């Protein structure tokens, strides 16, 4: 029987780790358990994230050097909300924290200031209430997960099916101190195109809840639990709904930029996907641009990130050259 495993992590700095987990755990065999890996897209709503956590047989929490996006309502990071949901429903969990002394990491993937402090507090609490393992590379993480999954899933399968019991009291959420300050802004438009701001985002147009893709990096030939339609009552704004920043292109402008970047994508890219990608890139919305590119093509999220970086460089060069020409004519 295939077990659904929910993988919780920040999406961009740990993109390679998520990809390797999905690829290696998605192939059942004598050397590994038969599992279906579920991980969310950056724009997945909080409601759908928590639903996926509840539907999973086990939870894997991976914590690097970034806190990730924060829900402006609860002022908690999305990974912390997912963790608390797993704790509240007694879902078996495995916790992995990046070894800060041994793991190679890009400087841009290291939080500073209040975010770093909040992440440190969260890791400290985790080490007190859960068994924590450290990883020094993506391959080391995958190896540890394989070994631990046998133990966790074996215990789940051996245990008798529990009878439904009323919940007497909710599990107390993890208390992480946050410095008093104004609610964090989800995205800030960068001053340069080649300095993108990574933030969760959704397309500008509203999509019915039943059509919102709720998972990413799902293992081949595996299925995940369907997400029910969102409740009819209006929900409070989430991080994703506040981060749909994009620069709307007119058709002539789209054709102009399309001509500049078409050599990067080739004929397989549809105009619809390319226009969405360009509008997000021009607004400095790197996360949404990469996610849109990955969904609209056969590229993995990691490869899509690299293509978006190339696109940003081309657009920056185009804008700078155009500005120089305008100055010469004045």
């Amino acid at each position: 029987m295939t077990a659904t495993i929910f993988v919780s992590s920040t999406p961009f700095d740990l993109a390679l780790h998520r990809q390797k987990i999905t690829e290696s755990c998605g192939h059942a065999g004598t050397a590994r358990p038969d599992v279906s890996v579920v991980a969310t897209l950056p724009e997945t709503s909080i409601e759908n994230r928590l639903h996926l956590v509840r539907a999973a047989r086990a939870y894997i929490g991976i914590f690097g050097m970034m806190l990730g996006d924060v829900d402006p309502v609860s002022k908690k990071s999305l990974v912390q909300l997912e963790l608390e949901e797993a704790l509240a429903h007694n879902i078996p969990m495995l916790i992995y924290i990046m070894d800060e002394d041994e793991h190679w990491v890009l400087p841009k993937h290291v939080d500073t200031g209040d975010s770093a402090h909040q992440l440190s507090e969260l890791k400290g609490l985790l080490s007190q209430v859960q068994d924590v393992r450290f990883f020094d590379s993506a391959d080391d993480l995958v190896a540890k997960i394989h070994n631990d999954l046998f133990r966790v899933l074996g215990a789940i399968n051996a245990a008798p099916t529990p009878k439904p019991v009323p919940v007497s009291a909710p599990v107390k959420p993890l208390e992480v101190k946050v410095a008093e300050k104004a609610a964090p802004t989800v995205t800030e438009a960068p001053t340069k195109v080649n300095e993108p701001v990574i933030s969760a985002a959704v397309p500008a147009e509203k999509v019915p809840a039943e059509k919102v893709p709720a998972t990413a990096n799902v293992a081949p030939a595996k299925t995940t639990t369907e997400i029910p339609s969102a409740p009819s009552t209006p929900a409070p704004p989430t991080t994703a709904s506040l981060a749909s920043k994009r620069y709307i292109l007119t058709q002539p402008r789209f054709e102009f930029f399309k001509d500049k970047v078409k050599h990067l994508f080739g004929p397989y890219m549809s105009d619809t996907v390319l226009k969405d990608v360009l509008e997000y890139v021009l607004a400095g919305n790197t996360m949404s641009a990469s996610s849109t590119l990955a969904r609209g093509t056969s590229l993995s999220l990691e490869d899509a990130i690299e293509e978006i970086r190339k696109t940003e460089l081309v657009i920056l060069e185009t804008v700078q050259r155009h500005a120089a020409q305008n100055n010469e004519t004045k």
Side-chain angles (χ1 to χ4, degrees):
M1 180 179 175
T2 301
T4 301
I5 308 299
F6 183 88
V7 176
S8 173
S9 74
T10 46
F12 273 66
D13 55 318
L14 297 174
L16 176 62
H17 302 67
R18 288 157 61 110
Q19 180 181 354
K20 289 197 171 188
I21 292 170
T22 299
E23 291 174 351
S24 68
C25 292
H27 303 286
T30 56
R32 57 178 66 89
D34 185 13
V35 300
S36 173
V37 179
V38 176
T40 57
L41 287 166
E43 65 268 28
T44 304
S45 68
I46 292 179
E47 293 77 13
N48 285 349
R49 288 172 183 270
L50 302 186
H51 175 86
L52 288 172
V53 173
R54 294 191 297 271
R57 296 289 300 280
Y59 163 97
I60 296 178
I62 307 171
F63 299 86
M65 302 291 290
M66 297 186 70
L67 181 67
D69 292 304
V70 175
D71 171 31
V73 177
S74 64
K75 293 183 172 58
K76 296 178 181 179
S77 67
L78 300 184
V79 290
Q80 181 177 343
L81 292 176
E82 293 166 353
L83 171 67
E84 290 181 354
E85 191 73 5
L87 286 170
H89 291 82
N90 297 316
I91 297 174
M93 59 174 55
L94 298 170
I95 303 296
Y96 302 91
I97 296 178
M98 181 182 291
D99 188 329
E100 299 180 9
D101 295 326
E102 299 294 333
H103 198 296
W104 184 86
V105 62
L106 291 173
K108 68 178 180 178
H109 290 160
V110 178
D111 273 343
T112 58
D114 291 336
S115 295
H117 178 71
Q118 189 174 349
L119 178 60
S120 178
E121 291 278 347
L122 178 58
K123 289 179 179 178
L125 288 172
L126 280 174
S127 63
Q128 296 175 24
V129 300
Q130 294 291 325
D131 290 331
V132 171
R133 299 194 69 182
F134 293 86
F135 61 95
D136 56 23
S137 68
D139 291 334
D140 180 50
L141 174 63
V142 170
K144 285 181 167 65
I145 288 177
H146 281 174
N147 293 332
D148 295 340
L149 274 180
F150 270 115
R151 171 175 54 82
V152 171
L153 295 180
I156 294 175
N157 294 333
T161 304
K163 295 181 180 180
V165 293
V167 179
S168 57
V171 174
K172 183 179 179 180
L174 296 175
E175 298 282 346
V176 179
K177 296 180 180 180
V178 184
E180 290 293 329
K181 59 184 292 186
T185 302
V186 178
T187 59
E188 293 181 2
T191 57
K192 296 183 180 179
V193 179
N194 63 341
E195 297 178 357
V197 175
I198 295 179
S199 58
V202 293
E205 296 181 340
K206 270 196 171 182
V207 180
E210 64 272 16
K211 294 184 180 180
V212 175
T215 64
N217 296 332
V218 181
K222 305 294 180 180
T223 57
T224 59
T225 307
E226 290 187 3
I227 304 302
S229 300
S232 56
T233 55
T238 63
T239 303
S241 64
L242 296 177
S244 56
K245 188 172 182 179
R246 61 195 295 171
Y247 178 86
I248 303 302
L249 287 172
T250 62
Q251 189 60 29
R253 289 186 177 181
F254 166 65
E255 294 295 338
F256 172 79
F257 283 110
K258 173 185 174 182
D259 183 65
K260 303 299 180 183
V261 302
K262 62 182 180 182
H263 65 282
L264 296 175
F265 303 107
Y268 63 85
M269 172 75 75
S270 70
D271 282 359
T272 301
V273 174
L274 180 57
K275 187 175 182 181
D276 286 341
V277 168
L278 288 174
E279 289 182 348
Y280 284 129
V281 168
L282 289 168
N285 220 336
T286 303
M287 177 174 283
S288 294
S290 301
S291 178
T292 300
L293 180 59
R295 291 199 314 272
T297 64
S298 59
L299 295 174
S300 66
L301 182 59
E302 185 182 26
D303 290 338
I305 295 172
E306 293 302 318
E307 293 302 318
I308 292 302
R309 288 170 179 164
K310 296 176 185 177
T311 304
E312 290 168 343
L313 292 176
V314 172
I315 292 180
L316 176 62
E317 181 183 0
T318 301
V319 172
Q320 290 177 340
R321 185 170 58 250
H322 183 70
Q325 291 173 351
N326 286 343
N327 291 334
E328 289 176 0
T329 58
K330 289 182 180 180

